[in-house]
Amino acid sequence: MTTHTNTNAHPSRPLGATGPRVFPLGLGCMGMSALYGEADRAESIATIHAALDAGVTLLDTGDFYGMGHNELLINEALRTAPAAARERALTSVKFGALRTVEGGFTGVDGRPAAVKNFLAYSLQRLGTDHIDVYRIARLDPEVPIEETVGAIAELVEAGHVRHIGLSEVGADTLRRAAAVAPIADLQIEYSLISRGIEEKILPTARELGVGITAYGVLSRGLISGHFTRDRELAAGDFRGFSPRFQGANLGHNLDLVDRLRGIAEAKGVSVAQLAIAWVLAQGADIVPLVGARRRDRLTEALGALDVTLDAADLTAIEAAVPAGAAAGDRYPESQMAHLDSER
């Protein structure tokens, strides 16, 4: 397995034409608070510290991850990190999801007054006076994107937000938003088995100078090389409801992973490193987010930065897992309905 040794060898990547430059991998912190079962708080904080120490700058969260738990966790991690690492850290925050006490999702609120309300709470939980990239988690179908983005633009003007981002929107919505204010990046799922952005969304983002922060690069562990057919998931684990992890779909998708494993072994790298390296190879305007909850998984992910894929490698990977090869949608049907990016 390739290990990561020299962070200085990896040039930063831009979050679009107007956003900050960041380390080529970001840390997605959601799993430390929600959706994948219990996480170890001390290990989560140690993982954030290890990421910062390795040079990672972008920490991605959402105000609804554990109903504020994730933002408080990041606050604690940054407060206890060395000053230099803390000063380099950039926060990327999603807002807008409406939750129930039981943990359910009941919709999205993108009204300007709600945007400013959500931000006030996030600033308090994070213990900061600004957020570096602020984005609505899902398009609110009742509020024009122009109004939501306009409200964030006012927060930029006031100094409470540095850059505007979007999440899981389609090409038309992205174009409308960019006409209101500069959009730094679009956060959207992109991996070997989730390539829907390639047809319209990615070309539009590139035309507009909008970067991509790609989440789900390991498809929630499905193509990490670590997920097994007989794995039992904790109660409440998102993957227990995800179509790609169900029945025959799981078997089919893990067969794809086995094909990747052969290519990875021939290169002396892990399956996860190969999958992350593939996303990195799709363009310098793409910053993969890795959802490591433990230091060993973080170390493995960072090793992808040392993997070079040549034309023959990319051809072999494409043959092993062609676009559209996965079985099952990336979200349950009820959640797919909320994705503007899928319309």
Side-chain angles (χ1 to χ4, degrees), residues 4 6-8 10-13 21-26 51 54-58 287-288 302 305:
H4 186 72
N6 183 7
T7 60
N8 295 323
H10 306 294
S12 61
R13 293 188 166 199
R21 296 192 69 88
V22 299
F23 190 77
L25 288 179
V56 172
T57 49
L58 190 65
V287 176
L302 289 168
L305 294 169

Side-chain angles (χ1 to χ4, degrees), residues 288-313:
L289 299 173
V290 295
R293 302 197 296 172
R294 304 188 332 234
R295 283 168 287 181
D296 58 338
R297 292 286 191 254
L298 173 69
T299 297
E300 180 183 22
L302 289 168
L305 294 169
D306 299 318
V307 178
T308 300
L309 300 179
D310 59 25
D313 294 326

Side-chain angles (χ1 to χ4, degrees), residues 271-297:
V271 175
Q273 289 169 340
L274 189 75
I276 296 168
W278 181 86
V279 177
L280 284 162
Q282 302 313 301
D285 54 349
I286 299 174
V287 176
L289 299 173
V290 295
R293 302 197 296 172
R294 304 188 332 234
R295 283 168 287 181
D296 58 338
R297 292 286 191 254

Side-chain angles (χ1 to χ4, degrees), residues 39-231:
D40 183 302
R41 186 180 188 87
E43 181 62 23
S44 295
I45 291 172
T47 300
I48 294 173
H49 286 170
L52 295 171
D53 185 58
V56 172
T57 49
L58 190 65
L59 302 179
D60 184 77
T61 184
D63 64 10
F64 52 94
Y65 293 165
M67 286 71 150
H69 177 279
N70 206 236
E71 290 178 320
L72 291 169
L73 184 78
I74 290 172
N75 180 340
E76 183 177 348
L78 290 176
R79 279 191 292 106
T80 53
R86 183 168 62 249
E87 289 165 9
R88 288 195 306 270
L90 302 173
T91 52
S92 167
V93 179
K94 288 178 290 299
F95 69 88
L98 303 176
R99 305 293 303 271
T100 66
V101 174
E102 294 75 23
F105 289 85
T106 60
V108 180
D109 193 345
R111 294 171 303 136
V115 174
K116 295 170 184 180
N117 178 76
F118 285 128
L119 179 81
Y121 281 86
S122 284
L123 291 175
Q124 179 68 24
R125 285 188 292 259
L126 287 165
T128 184
D129 62 359
H130 74 275
I131 286 169
D132 294 287
V133 190
Y134 202 49
R135 68 186 87 241
I136 191 164
R138 297 288 186 269
L139 179 68
D140 182 344
E142 304 299 323
V143 179
I145 191 62
E146 290 87 350
E147 293 184 17
T148 303
V149 167
I152 306 175
E154 290 179 10
L155 295 170
V156 172
E157 184 70 22
H160 303 313
V161 171
R162 293 285 188 266
H163 304 280
I164 305 171
L166 290 169
S167 176
E168 286 289 355
V169 300
D172 291 343
T173 301
L174 180 58
R175 197 176 294 281
R176 286 168 52 198
V180 174
I183 306 298
D185 69 325
L186 169 62
Q187 187 175 121
I188 196 162
E189 187 167 356
Y190 188 40
S191 73
L192 268 168
I193 64 171
S194 295
R195 295 175 60 179
I197 72 170
E198 292 177 345
E199 182 180 355
K200 281 182 163 183
I201 295 173
L202 182 56
T204 300
R206 286 176 167 160
E207 175 195 336
L208 297 170
V210 175
I212 298 290
T213 42
Y215 76 87
V217 293
L218 297 179
S219 298
R220 299 165 183 81
L222 182 58
I223 59 172
S224 67
H226 301 299
F227 204 92
T228 59
R229 286 168 170 78
D230 59 353
R231 179 169 173 176

Side-chain angles (χ1 to χ4, degrees), residues 322-338:
D329 288 332
R330 56 195 183 99
Y331 283 96
E333 185 177 356
S334 61
Q335 295 183 37
M336 288 291 286
H338 296 293

